[in-house]
């Protein structure tokens, strides 16, 4: 196996080098690992590398399991159950719109009903891993829209669990309607039981898995992730959801932080194998028939999510610029689309789903982060001009009112004197009239000396007039 180990090592070194370059321009690692796998694929002949997908298939399955295991581990139950109403409104509305558009697009493509269901899932939900990394790297955790974004990803995680359960049953090939219903009942019962255990059984589970030995602790949760992946597969829910659910349960215990410390490096290494293996399975020769559908899917995803961001802003009382940030952040797609494509390939569905998913994820995982990085600048240009026009209109109206008051100051001064207004008010109006007569714009304060109260009040009036946008020749205010 010396040759295979050498090639595999070279591939990961290439992935490291390209990853360093990608980090500088804000790209996630998912498309980089896929591109490296494509370079080494037997179907790609431009580079003298040839590596078979079967050689890393088992390790790639570990990557799939740990991607979902960590997703369940990081699931924020307090955020979900503590703010369920608002989150379900924003996240649920978003999922329904994206799923509906994706399903319509899937039927338009015309590859079949089950294939349309897979395509709808690919385009319906964002990549929580990419979204979270971008929020951290762009330093937007303190933004007003960030809690909404994270809450929506939590709702989407729940949706993914139930959606994968439904998809696993639908694409399983069962024809008997009652057998399908029974399979769905078993799947949902398993999901609900694990959610209940995660919500109320954390203390019991913590006592069962607690040990001070780091090595044994790591072996334990690694074994649980694999075992529940197998249980999920046997129950017809899929191995990925089994791993997600045991991660959800372990994440509800007091050992969550300790498990994350050991599980994140495993996820990164095994996850790299998963994406590398997906790239190895791609054949550039099959891209031709799916280029147009993938391009349409990318365009639909961007448009629907930009508009959806404005709906999120309305639902959560955010500004339009913050809604644009949310929409462009949540449009990022990644591992879930590839997981669905892997399931579809294993079930023998249309072979075009694999290259379609590859092109779609490659495109979105490059375009998505670039748009997210520039979303604040785009929001400032799109919506900042309107705010500036509104501020200018208010300022011009106030200036016009001030000029109108000063223009009628002479008449107002005499009326004030006749009507017995306060002496200070009458003095101010009298000074305004005097300054107008004496040419205040030229800096002449008239016949008043620096010892007079009227001189001091005249300076204040002059300063106000110099700050007016309506002055033909403005003087710089010494205070500024």
């Amino acid at each position: 196996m010396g040759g295979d180990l050498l090639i595999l090592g070279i591939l990961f070194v290439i992935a490291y080098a390209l990853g360093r370059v990608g980090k500088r321009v804000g790209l996630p690692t998912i498309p980089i690992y896929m591109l490296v796998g494509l370079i080494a694929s037997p179907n790609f002949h431009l580079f003298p590398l040839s590596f078979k997908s079967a050689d890393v298939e088992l390790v790639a399955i570990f990557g799939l399991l740990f991607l979902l295991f960590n997703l369940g581990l990081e699931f924020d139950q307090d955020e979900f159950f503590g703010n369920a109403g608002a989150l379900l409104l924003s996240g649920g509305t978003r999922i329904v719109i994206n799923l509906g558009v994706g399903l319509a697009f899937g039927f338009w493509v015309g590859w079949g009903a089950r294939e349309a269901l897979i395509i709808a899932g690919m385009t319906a939900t964002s990549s929580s891993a990419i979204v979270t990394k971008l929020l951290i790297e762009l330093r937007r955790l303190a933004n007003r829209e960030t809690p909404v974004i994270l809450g929506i990803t939590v709702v989407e995680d729940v949706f993914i669990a139930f959606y994968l359960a439904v998809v696993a049953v639908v694409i399983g090939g069962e024809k008997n309607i009652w057998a399908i219903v029974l399979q769905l009942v078993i799947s949902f019962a398993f999901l609900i039981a694990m959610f209940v255990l995660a919500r109320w059984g954390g203390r019991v589970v913590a006592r069962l898995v607690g040990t001070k030995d780091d090595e044994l602790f790591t072996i334990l949760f690694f074994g649980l992730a694999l075992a529940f992946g197998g249980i999920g597969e046997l129950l017809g829910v899929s191995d990925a959801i089994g791993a997600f659910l045991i991660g959800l349960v372990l994440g509800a215990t007091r050992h969550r932080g300790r498990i994350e410390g050991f599980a994140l490096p495993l996820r990164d290494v095994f996850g790299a194998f998963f994406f590398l293996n997906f790239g190895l399975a791609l054949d550039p020769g099959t891209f031709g028939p799916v280029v147009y559908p993938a391009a349409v899917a990318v365009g639909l995803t961007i448009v629907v999510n930009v508009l959806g961001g404005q709906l999120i802003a309305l639902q959560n009382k955010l500004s339009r610029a913050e809604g644009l940030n949310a929409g462009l952040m949540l449009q990022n797609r990644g591992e879930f689309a590839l997981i669905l494509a892997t399931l579809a390939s294993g079930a023998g569905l249309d072979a075009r789903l694999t290259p379609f998913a590859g092109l779609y994820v490659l495109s979105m995982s490059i375009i998505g982060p670039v748009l997210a990085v520039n979303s604040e600048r785009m929001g400032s240009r799109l919506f900042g001009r309107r705010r500036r026009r509104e501020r200018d209109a208010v300022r011009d109206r106030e200036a016009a009112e001030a000029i109108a008051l000063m223009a009628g100051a002479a008449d107002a001064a005499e009326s004030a004197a006749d009507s017995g207004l306060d002496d200070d008010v009458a003095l101010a109006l009298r000074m305004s009239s005097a300054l107008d007569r004496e040419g205040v714009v030229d800096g002449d304060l008239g016949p008043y000396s620096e010892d007079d109260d009227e001189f001091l009040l005249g300076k204040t009036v002059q300063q106000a007039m110099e700050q007016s946008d309506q002055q033909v020749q403005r003087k710089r205010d010494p205070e500024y």
Side-chain angles (χ1 to χ4, degrees):
M1 297 183 66
D4 291 339
L5 290 175
L6 176 61
I7 293 176
L8 190 59
I10 292 173
L11 292 179
F12 274 95
V13 172
I14 294 173
Y16 161 78
L18 294 179
R20 289 288 299 271
V21 176
K23 288 290 184 181
R24 293 183 179 274
V25 295
L27 290 181
T29 54
I30 291 175
I32 293 171
Y33 295 150
M34 291 174 61
L35 285 173
V36 171
L38 181 61
I39 289 173
S41 170
N43 304 312
F44 198 75
H45 305 294
L46 293 182
F47 293 92
L49 294 174
S50 182
F51 201 79
K52 297 179 180 179
S53 174
D55 294 334
V56 293
E57 186 174 3
L58 180 61
V59 186
I61 292 175
F62 291 168
L64 171 62
L65 296 180
F66 268 88
L67 284 169
L68 271 296
F69 176 80
N70 278 269
L71 189 63
L73 194 66
E74 296 167 359
F75 183 83
D76 194 338
Q77 295 191 55
D78 294 333
E79 173 70 17
F80 178 74
F81 290 105
N83 196 25
L87 291 180
L88 288 174
L89 176 62
S90 298
T93 304
R94 169 185 160 78
I95 290 171
V96 168
I97 293 174
N98 279 271
L99 191 65
V101 172
L103 194 61
F105 169 73
F107 280 112
W108 173 79
V109 170
W111 295 344
R114 294 186 297 173
E115 286 77 4
L117 187 66
I118 295 291
I119 292 174
M122 291 179 180
T123 59
T125 59
S126 55
S127 168
S128 58
I130 295 178
V131 169
T132 304
K133 285 184 178 180
L134 284 174
L135 288 173
I136 294 172
E137 292 174 359
L138 298 178
R139 299 179 180 178
R140 295 186 185 177
L141 292 177
N143 286 17
R144 285 207 318 146
E145 71 274 8
T146 296
V148 178
I149 294 173
L150 293 175
I152 289 175
T153 61
V154 170
V155 174
E156 289 183 344
D157 291 344
V158 177
F159 167 76
I160 287 172
F162 284 88
Y163 192 78
L164 280 178
V166 173
V167 166
V169 174
V170 172
I171 68 176
E174 182 62 57
K175 302 297 183 181
N176 189 305
I177 184 64
W178 293 112
I180 294 175
V181 171
L182 178 61
Q183 188 63 59
L184 285 174
V185 170
I186 293 173
S187 300
F188 283 115
F190 180 53
L191 287 168
I192 293 172
M194 295 297 284
F195 269 95
V196 170
L197 180 61
R199 183 60 177 167
W200 288 285
R203 291 184 179 180
V204 176
V205 175
R207 287 196 296 268
L208 294 175
V209 301
T211 177
K212 295 181 179 180
D213 189 291
D214 290 342
E215 178 184 353
L216 295 178
F217 188 69
T218 306
I219 292 297
L220 175 62
F221 74 74
F222 185 88
L224 287 173
L226 269 58
F228 272 83
I231 292 172
E233 185 75 18
L234 293 173
L235 292 177
V237 182
S238 85
D239 51 2
I241 286 305
F244 170 83
L245 292 174
I246 191 59
L248 182 74
V249 172
L250 293 177
T253 69
R254 66 177 184 271
H255 303 298
R256 173 181 177 178
R258 187 181 176 198
I259 296 174
E260 284 183 337
F262 294 111
L264 286 177
L266 293 175
R267 181 201 68 181
D268 292 339
V269 174
F270 290 136
F273 274 96
F274 173 74
F275 298 121
L276 180 77
N277 184 61
F278 194 90
L280 289 171
L282 294 176
D283 183 358
T286 63
F287 285 168
V290 300
V291 168
Y292 180 65
V296 174
V298 170
L300 277 177
T301 301
I302 294 173
V303 171
V304 171
N305 281 272
V306 168
L307 297 177
Q310 298 306 304
L311 179 59
I312 291 171
L314 289 175
Q315 292 172 331
N316 295 276
K317 299 181 180 179
L318 300 174
S319 68
R320 300 181 70 182
E322 290 166 340
L324 180 65
N325 286 343
L328 292 180
M329 188 65 70
L330 288 168
Q331 74 172 340
N332 289 279
R333 300 295 188 267
E335 64 274 8
F336 183 51
L338 300 184
I339 291 170
L340 284 173
T342 302
L343 293 177
S345 177
L349 298 189
D350 197 303
R352 288 172 290 187
L353 284 173
T354 297
F356 170 82
L359 280 180
Y360 177 67
V361 172
L362 278 173
S363 301
M364 288 306 305
S365 55
I366 293 173
I367 297 172
V370 171
L371 291 177
V373 167
N374 295 281
S375 65
E376 291 186 338
R377 187 180 298 111
M378 294 165 61
S380 177
R381 291 183 179 180
L382 289 174
F383 307 118
R385 294 177 180 177
R386 180 175 180 179
R387 289 198 299 271
R388 286 195 295 271
R389 286 196 298 268
E390 292 174 352
R391 288 196 300 267
D392 291 344
V394 171
R395 187 177 59 184
D396 292 343
R397 185 170 62 251
E398 292 175 347
E401 292 173 354
I403 291 173
L405 287 172
M406 287 186 286
D411 296 336
E414 302 204 357
S415 299
D418 295 338
S419 58
L421 286 177
D422 183 82
D423 291 341
D424 292 336
V425 175
L427 177 62
L429 293 172
R430 191 167 67 255
M431 281 305 307
S432 175
S433 176
L435 289 170
D436 185 57
R437 289 195 305 272
E438 298 295 333
V440 66
V441 291
D442 295 326
D444 184 7
L445 290 175
Y448 306 107
S449 67
E450 294 185 4
D451 296 329
D452 294 332
D453 290 338
E454 294 187 2
F455 177 88
L456 298 177
L457 183 60
K459 290 285 289 183
T460 303
V461 176
Q462 181 188 17
Q463 183 185 45
M465 294 180 65
E466 287 175 346
Q467 291 175 323
S468 171
D469 290 331
Q470 303 301 321
Q471 289 292 331
V472 178
Q473 294 180 345
R474 293 182 60 185
K475 293 186 177 181
R476 181 179 296 277
D477 182 4
E479 288 186 13
Y480 298 92

